[in-house]
């Protein structure tokens, strides 16, 4: 009885941020989650995969690694790092994970060529073709290459295939062989990242390989972990880890936790939704196109091709009867990706400007950036506006790796504008800002300089999917003064006007 009370006290102590030693804290958290059904434990780990804190197989085995992943996520929320999610933290985790998963269009598909089931980021894939031993799926321009494969057991054993893979690929930074399956991961000579998973089904070796541009690592890291967890060597058999979660069991346990002290509630997930917030934006993010007057709103767009193609946010051109760009008049909406908040427009007029170039690499935390746009045109000067800041984080709310968090000030009307590095190269598309009013109502504190941009890598994939040629800058880029960057790029950045239906 005494031991039972001590265990309860230890858990409560964790929740209140009291003095439980790290080892004791891990032990209590492991016991807490270990008492759940296997499907609920797998569901928890799968959600942690998608917020990029658990790069592992969602097998339901609760170890300190899982608890540390929970703590990392709690730290992002600004909550005590107890290792045990409260009910509202769990709700936020599930919503954040779903947003990232839906952003890449992840789903599992049966591959008839190999008799397997494999996870695919469908929104990033452009072509699918049968190959000699399976199926090949590629993104535009081959930035992502996925191959499923089946090799007759009589041709070679799993061990022989493992040795052959190690010989034929560059040195692996990770490799594991477990009797009837293996995983090998590393970087190719070209710099592309790769991951190979193979299983011995008795009659054949079945598996998949994915290689991708390392610039896509922030986006594809969770995808690879999910693919590995969901892979079924036999389409009618079990996956590497069961993919369906018993969320109800998990929720009931979180809801039974005792209340904590001095813990501010998280901003609401869906209450009072902002009508113009981008569909793919993090929860609590605003920054819509600016309503100039009834029936008219504006945002920003920028030239990416000499054929008159512009990029902007999808929410800038939602429900428009007609669209116009700058002085070039009517624009045609080619396509809009509401999930990732990107839209492609084209004008018929000749645009006397040099299209913006894409940066060859992702920015780093602390890197200086410049945002260009046309904010608050009914209040501020009627012209291009420039703000400076830094990259504050390499992910959005809840670890959404499609986004960059930036400190550069943005306002309504900035949506769709380019985010440039200090060499004048595109690293993102300004999407919005944290809704300070909503957060202040929930926390009593007003957030400062918390703004977001979609990564330029997603814009590249979007353009490639539509066969639009664009330019990626050279790896070497001299740092330039802000005034010089504005002078060189201003003719490619224009206001986008939307006349509502």
């Amino acid at each position: 009885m005494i031991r039972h009370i001590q265990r309860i006290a230890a858990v409560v102590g964790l929740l209140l941020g009291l003095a439980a030693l790290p080892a004791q804290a891990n032990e209590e958290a492991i016991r807490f989650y270990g008492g759940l059904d296997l499907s609920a434990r797998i569901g928890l780990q799968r959600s942690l995969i998608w917020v990029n804190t658990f790069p592992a197989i969602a097998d339901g085995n609760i170890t300190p690694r899982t608890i540390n992943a929970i703590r990392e996520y709690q730290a992002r929320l600004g909550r005590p790092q107890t290792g045990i999610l409260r009910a509202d933290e769990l709700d936020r985790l599930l919503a954040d994970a779903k947003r990232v998963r839906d952003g890449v269009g992840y789903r599992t598909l049966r591959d008839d060529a190999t008799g397997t089931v494999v996870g695919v980021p469908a929104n990033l894939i452009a072509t699918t073709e049968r190959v000699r031993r399976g199926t090949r799926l590629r993104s535009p321009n081959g930035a992502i290459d996925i191959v499923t494969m089946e090799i007759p057991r009589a041709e070679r054993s799993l061990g022989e295939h493992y040795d052959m893979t190690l010989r034929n690929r560059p040195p692996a930074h990770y490799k594991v062989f477990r009797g009837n399956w293996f995983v090998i991961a590393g970087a190719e000579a070209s710099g592309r990242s790769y991951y190979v998973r193979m299983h011995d089904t008795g009659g054949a070796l079945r598996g998949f390989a994915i290689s991708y541009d390392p610039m896509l690592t922030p986006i594809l890291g969770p995808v690879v972990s999910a693919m590995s967890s969901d892979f079924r060597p036999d389409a009618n058999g079990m996956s590497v880890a069961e993919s369906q979660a018993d969320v109800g069991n998990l929720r009931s346990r979180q809801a039974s936790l005792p209340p904590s002290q001095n813990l501010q509630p998280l901003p609401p997930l869906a209450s009072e939704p902002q009508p113009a917030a981008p569909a793919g934006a993090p929860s609590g993010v605003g920054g819509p196109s600016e309503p100039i007057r009834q029936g008219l709103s504006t945002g920003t767009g920028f030239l990416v091709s000499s054929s008159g193609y512009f990029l902007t946010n999808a929410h800038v051109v939602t429900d428009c009867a007609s669209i116009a760009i700058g002085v070039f008049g009517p624009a045609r909406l080619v396509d809009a990706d509401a999930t990732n908040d990107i839209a492609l427009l084209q004008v018929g007029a000749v645009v006397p400007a040099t299209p913006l170039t894409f940066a060859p690499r992702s920015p780093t935390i602390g890197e200086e950036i410049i945002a260009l746009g046309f904010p608050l045109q009914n209040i501020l000067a009627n012209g291009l506006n420039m703000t400076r800041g830094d990259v504050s984080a390499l992910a959005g709310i809840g670890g959404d790796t499609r986004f960059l968090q930036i400190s550069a000030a943005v306002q309504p009307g900035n949506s769709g504008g380019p985010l440039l590095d200090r060499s004048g190269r595109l690293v993102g598309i300004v999407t919005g800002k944290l809704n300070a009013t909503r957060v202040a109502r929930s926390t009593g504190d007003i957030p400062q300089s918390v703004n977001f941009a979609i990564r330029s890598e997603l814009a590249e994939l979007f353009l490639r999917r539509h066969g639009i040629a664009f330019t990626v800058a050279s790896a070497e880029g001299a740092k330039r003064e802000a005034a010089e960057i504005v002078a060189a790029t201003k003719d490619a950045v224009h206001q986008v006007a939307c006349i509502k239906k």
Side-chain angles (χ1 to χ4, degrees), residues 127-192:
T127 62
T128 302
E129 63 176 332
R130 289 289 290 268
V131 292
R132 177 170 170 253
R133 296 187 184 277
T135 303
R136 187 176 196 179
L137 306 96
R138 303 184 78 207
S139 68
N141 209 34
I144 305 168
D145 197 334
I146 301 170
V147 178
T148 63
M149 62 194 89
E150 181 183 42
I151 301 168
R153 185 69 169 74
E155 184 174 320
R156 71 177 73 103
S157 69
L158 185 69
E160 290 169 337
H161 191 66
Y162 175 76
D163 292 336
M164 185 186 75
T165 303
L166 287 176
R167 286 195 307 270
N168 293 342
R169 287 189 177 270
H173 61 66
Y174 176 79
K175 56 185 178 181
V176 59
F177 188 97
R178 287 289 186 270
N180 66 342
W181 62 269
F182 73 75
V183 168
I184 299 175
E188 298 174 350
S190 63
R192 288 172 66 92

Side-chain angles (χ1 to χ4, degrees), residues 5-6 18 57 72 76 105 157 160 173 181 227 246 268 291 315 324 332 361 390 409 416 442-443 462 467:
I5 294 173
Q6 286 174 331
L18 301 179
I57 297 296
E72 182 180 342
R76 291 181 188 171
S157 69
E160 290 169 337
H173 61 66
W181 62 269
M227 288 177 67
D246 180 4
H315 74 265
R332 176 175 69 95
R361 61 169 182 81
D390 303 307
S442 299
T443 67
F462 183 69

Side-chain angles (χ1 to χ4, degrees), residues 350-367:
V350 175
V351 182
T354 301
L356 298 187
T357 58
F358 287 72
R361 61 169 182 81
S362 298
T364 57
I365 291 180
E367 186 169 332

Side-chain angles (χ1 to χ4, degrees), residues 423-492:
S423 296
R425 305 172 301 186
L426 185 76
V427 295
I429 304 175
V430 174
T431 293
K433 58 191 295 184
L434 198 66
N435 190 309
T437 303
R438 288 180 64 196
V439 174
R441 285 203 304 263
S442 299
T443 67
D445 187 32
I446 300 177
Q448 301 291 326
S449 303
V450 183
N451 308 311
F452 298 95
I454 285 283
R455 287 176 176 271
S456 61
E457 293 93 330
L458 288 173
E460 289 186 37
L461 290 170
F462 183 69
L463 290 174
R464 285 172 178 153
R465 190 159 68 241
H466 290 282
I468 307 300
F470 58 92
T471 303
V472 177
S474 62
E476 299 299 326
K479 185 175 180 179
R480 300 155 71 186
E481 293 296 327
E484 182 183 357
I485 292 173
V486 173
T489 59
K490 62 181 177 64
D491 291 338

Side-chain angles (χ1 to χ4, degrees), residues 1 104 128 135 183 317 400:
M1 181 66 178
V104 298
T128 302
T135 303
V183 168
V317 292
D400 192 336

Side-chain angles (χ1 to χ4, degrees), residues 308-387:
Y309 288 102
F310 283 76
L311 283 179
T312 187
N313 286 147
H315 74 265
V316 169
V317 292
T318 298
D319 296 328
C320 300
S322 63
I323 303 167
I325 297 179
V327 298
F328 307 111
R332 176 175 69 95
L333 175 60
V334 179
D335 191 21
D337 177 357
T339 301
N340 292 311
D341 202 22
I342 304 172
L344 180 65
L345 307 175
Q346 186 180 30
V347 296
V350 175
V351 182
T354 301
L356 298 187
T357 58
F358 287 72
R361 61 169 182 81
S362 298
T364 57
I365 291 180
E367 186 169 332
E368 294 179 279
I369 44 85
I370 289 173
L372 300 179
F374 293 84
L376 300 174
Q377 290 297 285
N378 57 343
I379 299 175
L380 302 180
N382 186 23
L384 184 66
N385 185 281
M386 182 275 290
T387 57

